[in-house]
Amino acid sequence: EVQLVESGGGLVKPGGSLRLSCAASGFTFSSYTMNWVRQAPGKGLEWVSSISALSSSIYYADSVKGRFTISRDNAKNSLYLQMNSLRAEDTAVYYCARVAIAAAGSLWFDPWGQGTLVTVSS
Amino acid sequence: EIVMTQSPATLSVSPGERATLSCRASQSVSTNLAWYQQKPGQVPRLLIYGASNRATGISARFSGSVSGTEFTLTISSLQSEDFAVYYCQQYNNWPPWYSFGQGTKLEIK
């Protein structure tokens, strides 16, 4: 069974840092582009960042560029999101999501993890 | 940046009736559009990809279509489990710059 499990969320003060992790199983992790998508409370979905299968291509939404860093460890089947200089508007559930087809770049997302909540508040 | 605009924001439909949800792209995305369903407290679930292809395990009551930059998700004969929020997503850009619509809440009338 394909599974994505996020962890690392929590309460952090404005200006603080947090590192999210996503553990993948049930598929060949090193063959897929991976993504982070977030959803603020009661709001819609916002793409945050993408990383290609071998980490050669990395992209960010303007809202997080320069503050967030996506990375992966294919030996550990894990995806990460290092979040620095956090702001109140970064408060959201953060989902990791796989592109649907191996070796593909821009594609629809399937599956999604269950998400981890990040709350930025003093 | 491609902006995706969904309408209406809220749609009230009676069980057994048909629901039609719209999503408009600010520029051409070809057929590179997906639809997701999200129920309260749950993870987004893929329904449609490539504008009109149903994902694995999705009921034939769900169908997608496109005309230019206007995309439509149609749900025929609504069931109680269909009431949820629906999002469209374009994946046409390269480098990737995914954008989602703001969502349509489908509620019971």
Side-chain angles (χ1 to χ4, degrees), chain B residues 5-105:
Chain B
T5 303
Q6 290 186 243
S7 61
T10 304
L11 182 62
S12 300
V13 183
S14 300
E17 293 189 339
R18 172 180 298 200
T20 301
L21 290 67
S22 295
C23 173
R24 175 175 294 175
S26 61
Q27 62 190 77
S28 175
V29 297
S30 186
T31 58
N32 296 314
L33 184 112
W35 288 96
Y36 301 88
Q37 176 195 67
Q38 188 178 35
K39 298 179 181 179
Q42 294 190 18
V43 177
R45 175 194 183 197
L46 176 70
L47 298 175
I48 300 285
Y49 64 91
S52 61
N53 301 289
R54 273 189 303 276
T56 302
I58 299 302
S59 169
R61 295 184 294 102
F62 291 87
S63 62
S65 62
V66 56
S67 176
T69 58
E70 187 83 29
F71 297 84
T72 301
L73 174 69
T74 302
I75 313 170
S76 63
S77 188
L78 279 165
Q79 309 290 307
S80 58
E81 63 265 27
D82 299 333
F83 293 96
V85 179
Y86 292 83
Y87 294 96
C88 61
Q89 175 211 14
Q90 68 81 18
Y91 50 91
N92 188 65
N93 293 65
W94 187 261
W97 191 276
Y98 303 98
S99 44
F100 292 88
Q102 78 278 21
T104 290
K105 181 180 181 181

Side-chain angles (χ1 to χ4, degrees), chain A residues 47-58:
Chain A
W47 169 74
V48 172
S49 183
S50 291
I51 184 168
S52 61
L54 300 181
S55 304
S56 56
S57 298
I58 288 175

